Amino acid sequence: MQANVTQEPFISRSADDTKRHAGQFSKNCRAGMVIRLHGDLGAGKTTWIQGLAAGLGAADAVTSPTFSLLHEYRSSRIPLFHWDLYRLDSKTDWQVLDLPDQLPGPGITVVEWPERYPDCWPETVCWDIEIHLLNETDRSIAIREPSV
């Protein structure tokens, strides 16, 4: 794959399709990657991460870290750090959050709701994945690779 290329969106017809898509993506993952995962509530972001974790060989059950902010999955071939920034917005929240010190990290860092992050992202390592609802069952999943 060439850097900074927007790939044709994948159309997922089910949660299993979404997980398979992420499992395929996991084959190209390496430590230090940052994945910014975009999509509305209910679009399937956590479902996609479940597939990513499974593709990496994680034995843990993947759930949304909306209230804990971060879930770590270290049983996979590459550690997976799953952030959810949905409920963060006050200056105090950002002052206590140590996310900037972890970018890029020792594993794969996946961030849901990255648009809420007030600092600069390390553009050379960030992949953007956008999941859009098409209807009750179908989703469009688009991947944009990092610039080099």
Side-chain angles (χ1 to χ4, degrees), residues 1-8 21 25 33-36 38 123 125-130 141-147:
M1 291 188 282
Q2 296 296 319
N4 209 21
V5 172
T6 301
Q7 301 176 359
E8 278 298 310
H21 179 270
F25 182 84
M33 287 180 73
V34 176
I35 301 168
R36 298 180 292 201
H38 307 268
E123 290 295 331
V125 296
C126 285
W127 290 71
D128 285 294
I129 298 180
E130 297 181 15
I141 304 172
I143 297 174
R144 189 172 67 239
E145 298 179 44
S147 54

Side-chain angles (χ1 to χ4, degrees), residues 52-60 73-81 108:
L52 180 69
L56 293 170
D60 310 294
Y73 305 100
R74 295 183 179 265
S75 65
S76 54
R77 67 178 170 85
I78 304 169
L80 178 61
F81 304 94
I108 300 164

Side-chain angles (χ1 to χ4, degrees), residues 6-12 18 21 25 35-40 43-45 48 111 113-115 127-134 139-145:
T6 301
Q7 301 176 359
E8 278 298 310
F10 170 77
I11 304 301
S12 170
T18 298
H21 179 270
F25 182 84
I35 301 168
R36 298 180 292 201
L37 197 53
H38 307 268
D40 293 329
K45 295 181 298 296
W48 193 89
V111 181
W113 301 100
E115 60 277 3
W127 290 71
D128 285 294
I129 298 180
E130 297 181 15
I131 304 177
H132 296 285
L133 293 164
L134 300 176
R139 274 93 174 120
S140 170
I141 304 172
I143 297 174
R144 189 172 67 239
E145 298 179 44

Side-chain angles (χ1 to χ4, degrees), residues 5-127:
V5 172
T6 301
Q7 301 176 359
E8 278 298 310
F10 170 77
I11 304 301
S12 170
R13 305 279 182 212
S14 66
D16 286 341
D17 278 356
T18 298
K19 290 176 186 176
R20 272 192 295 279
H21 179 270
Q24 287 295 319
F25 182 84
S26 75
K27 293 177 182 179
N28 298 312
C29 288
R30 61 191 178 286
M33 287 180 73
V34 176
I35 301 168
R36 298 180 292 201
L37 197 53
H38 307 268
D40 293 329
L41 282 172
K45 295 181 298 296
T46 300
T47 301
W48 193 89
I49 296 170
Q50 289 169 342
L52 180 69
L56 293 170
D60 310 294
V62 174
T63 59
S64 178
T66 299
F67 295 102
S68 61
L69 302 179
L70 170 66
H71 285 169
E72 297 181 22
Y73 305 100
R74 295 183 179 265
S75 65
S76 54
R77 67 178 170 85
I78 304 169
L80 178 61
F81 304 94
H82 177 193
W83 290 85
D84 186 327
L85 306 182
Y86 180 73
R87 59 183 198 90
L88 292 179
D89 61 292
S90 76
K91 192 159 184 76
T92 302
D93 287 340
W94 291 108
Q95 289 172 346
V96 299
L97 187 66
D98 63 350
L99 178 59
D101 295 333
Q102 298 183 42
L103 295 173
I108 300 164
T109 303
V110 181
V111 181
E112 293 189 51
W113 301 100
E115 60 277 3
R116 294 181 180 263
Y117 184 62
D119 287 334
C120 294
W121 290 95
E123 290 295 331
T124 58
V125 296
C126 285
W127 290 71

